[in-house]
Amino acid sequence: MKRRLIICAMACLLPLTGNGQENPKEYLNKVLDNLNTIQSAAYLCHKENFQPGDTLPLSTSQPFYREMAFPQDTTVGYVLTIAPDKHSERLNYAYDGYRKYDFFPDKKGVIIDDYTYRPSPFRIVASPFFHFCREIISYTLNTTDNIRFEIEEEEDCYHFKLTIDEDTQVEFIGKVIHMPKSPFYVDPLSIYEIWISKENDLPYKIKRNMSHDINTMECIKPEFNKLAIQDFNIIKYIPADYEIRTKEENDKKTRTPSHDLTGQPAPPWTLNDGDSQPISLNDFKSKVLVICITGVGCGACQAAVPFLKELKSHYQEGEVELVAFESWSRRESAVKAYKEKKQLNYTILVATDQTIKDYQTNGSAPWFFILDEQRVIQKAIRGYGGERTNKEITDAITTILTK
């Protein structure tokens, strides 16, 4: 049975009430002290990603992590490698304090980002488990942001839950990052949960819960303080037959060519909806068909939803129909959960690799294709710019209907 130990009020840490147990602030400081003794760690990490509202994970993996404190890097503060499993000599990902390395074994290549190409206010680096937990707990104890937290006692652990109620989402990437505001509405509430073992007062599981994305990390059989900085010399992990590219070089080589399907018949498709029911292009009989290629977790895509839900109401029966292709999660359960959450009044289907290839979107979203009665593409629009894009779509529909 769970027993709630503490509830912390809004804003900074206010006086806490106890129940005979250790003072909650003192306990979190103890956990933080334990985390600070960990200079390096190696462990399997069970990872799951979820679409909000969906109980089935979009992806599950169990890579092997190695992390180490690296104070010389004042931007992030750690180095990191991620391998497919504990015994693999190959890497999937690495950060050496200066550069990020993305490995692509199927293409025998590695892309190196030194953060000088298209720099941002912070470095986007994967968060290793123990540094991630350390940052969250330290923030909880020291922030003046609007937060509330609680700790519940469970059989073998304490369950810590932090809710951050700021104007923007808060991420932890080596330091606290108040994310830039999106031009589209994104629920800024940020929730982090940590499960702390009673055996050693160290975290073993963490959950990050955002309005667009949920993921968990569970640390399995960690080994502490056995690594040296030489273990993070990433060059030695790059196979001799791999092509090495910088991020800038790769962007130039893989840049999507100018998209021009206008005037061509729409590629045919038969795709499943969230209930595993197949629906094809030929099932739509309207004079105009709008295809929206979307992505769960895409802010711009979500911003377009209110306009798309209202679209058909402006036209007579049989004039305009709308269908969306979910191109990111590719899961029927995620599509069903998304449709219910957004209360969509139009069809949404699960895209396939072939669909994405045929419509040449290269995985980006959103895209809008406006088809005439013969199902010829009369207009293709990339991205969503609010009223400007709404007008582009309605103008294209009007042009077709008045011919």
Side-chain angles (χ1 to χ4, degrees):
M1 178 181 294
K2 295 183 179 179
R3 182 157 54 92
R4 179 166 297 174
L5 297 181
I6 314 109
I7 296 179
C8 179
M10 295 286 290
C12 59
L13 295 172
L14 298 177
L16 301 169
T17 58
N19 62 348
Q21 298 289 329
E22 186 172 18
N23 180 289
K25 186 175 179 180
E26 291 179 357
Y27 181 68
L28 287 180
N29 271 301
K30 177 196 287 187
V31 175
L32 185 59
D33 287 343
N34 289 343
L35 285 167
N36 286 333
T37 66
I38 300 173
Q39 292 302 301
S40 70
Y43 50 89
L44 287 173
C45 186
H46 184 80
K47 303 176 66 177
E48 294 184 329
N49 282 29
F50 296 84
Q51 159 68 16
D54 190 5
T55 58
L56 296 176
L58 298 174
S59 63
T60 301
S61 61
Q62 194 165 288
F64 184 69
Y65 274 64
R66 296 184 306 166
E67 61 173 284
M68 184 173 184
F70 189 62
Q72 294 93 318
D73 173 22
T74 58
T75 61
V76 175
Y78 55 79
V79 290
L80 166 72
T81 65
I82 305 176
D85 56 63
K86 183 174 182 178
H87 304 291
S88 176
E89 296 181 358
R90 301 292 174 92
L91 298 180
N92 291 336
Y93 179 95
Y95 174 70
D96 66 2
Y98 307 99
R99 295 162 293 272
K100 180 179 71 168
Y101 301 77
D102 287 290
F103 290 78
F104 297 90
D106 55 331
K107 297 181 179 179
K108 292 189 175 182
V110 59
I111 298 172
I112 301 177
D113 184 2
D114 65 1
Y115 301 99
T116 59
Y117 173 62
R118 295 182 177 176
S120 67
F122 54 90
R123 292 186 176 182
I124 299 177
V125 182
S127 294
F129 182 84
F130 291 101
H131 278 80
F132 198 10
C133 293
R134 180 184 297 119
E135 291 156 11
I136 292 168
I137 293 175
S138 178
Y139 166 86
T140 302
L141 292 168
N142 296 290
T143 188
T144 57
D145 287 348
N146 291 319
I147 69 167
R148 57 187 183 273
F149 73 84
E150 60 185 43
I151 302 176
E152 292 182 342
E153 183 177 7
E154 301 182 4
E155 185 176 352
D156 298 319
C157 69
Y158 291 108
H159 175 210
F160 166 79
K161 182 177 180 181
L162 169 67
T163 302
I164 306 171
D165 193 10
E166 286 290 290
D167 292 337
T168 62
Q169 291 181 331
V170 176
E171 299 278 10
F172 299 89
I173 311 175
K175 59 182 69 175
V176 181
I177 306 293
H178 289 77
M179 301 300 290
K181 284 190 175 182
S182 169
F184 309 108
Y185 175 74
V186 175
D187 184 352
L189 202 66
S190 307
I191 300 174
Y192 294 90
E193 299 174 68
I194 300 176
W195 286 260
I196 304 167
S197 171
K198 288 182 177 179
E199 182 178 350
N200 56 13
D201 293 318
L202 279 174
Y204 65 90
K205 182 178 178 180
I206 188 167
K207 181 178 182 181
R208 169 184 165 275
N209 192 333
M210 299 294 191
S211 60
H212 64 289
D213 180 53
I214 299 171
N215 50 65
T216 65
M217 300 173 67
E218 184 169 359
C219 181
I220 302 171
K221 296 181 179 179
E223 294 183 351
F224 298 126
N225 301 330
K226 294 184 178 181
L227 301 173
I229 194 63
Q230 292 78 13
D231 295 315
F232 297 89
N233 177 13
I234 309 304
I235 298 300
K236 69 181 182 181
Y237 295 103
I238 302 177
D241 60 345
Y242 270 38
E243 178 186 4
I244 300 176
R245 295 182 188 174
T246 66
K247 183 173 175 57
E248 182 175 10
E249 290 170 339
N250 187 68
D251 280 1
K252 288 178 178 178
K253 286 190 175 184
T254 60
R255 188 169 291 140
T256 304
S258 178
H259 189 289
D260 189 12
L261 289 179
T262 304
Q264 299 183 33
W269 41 265
T270 299
L271 303 172
N272 284 355
D273 65 11
D275 294 313
S276 302
Q277 298 300 308
I279 298 175
S280 69
L281 176 61
N282 292 333
D283 291 331
F284 293 89
K285 307 300 181 183
S286 56
K287 294 180 180 178
V288 177
L289 178 63
V290 178
I291 297 176
C292 172
I293 297 185
T294 187
V296 295
C298 164
C301 301
Q302 294 186 37
V305 167
F307 165 74
L308 297 176
K309 288 168 67 173
E310 290 288 327
L311 187 61
K312 282 179 63 174
S313 66
H314 297 296
Y315 302 95
Q316 295 179 14
E317 184 72 23
E319 285 188 329
V320 176
E321 289 185 281
L322 169 67
V323 61
F325 299 163
E326 166 44 43
S327 65
W328 284 15
S329 71
R330 312 288 183 87
R331 289 182 63 98
E332 292 176 10
S333 60
V335 163
K336 188 170 185 177
Y338 185 79
K339 183 171 183 176
E340 292 173 355
K341 181 180 180 181
K342 297 294 182 183
Q343 297 182 326
L344 302 185
N345 58 359
Y346 53 84
T347 302
I348 181 167
L349 307 173
V350 181
T352 62
D353 289 340
Q354 188 61 49
T355 314
I356 302 307
K357 180 179 179 181
D358 289 345
Y359 282 80
Q360 301 178 26
T361 61
N362 201 33
S364 64
W367 278 88
F368 303 91
F369 297 89
I370 295 86
L371 284 53
D372 64 18
E373 195 167 7
Q374 288 71 45
R375 299 304 179 242
V376 173
I377 298 173
Q378 297 297 330
K379 183 80 173 180
I381 302 168
R382 181 178 184 178
Y384 184 69
E387 292 299 324
R388 174 181 54 79
T389 305
N390 297 350
K391 187 175 185 303
E392 282 188 83
I393 293 171
T394 54
D395 284 352
I397 292 172
T398 299
T399 298
I400 295 171
L401 292 177
T402 56
K403 279 186 178 180

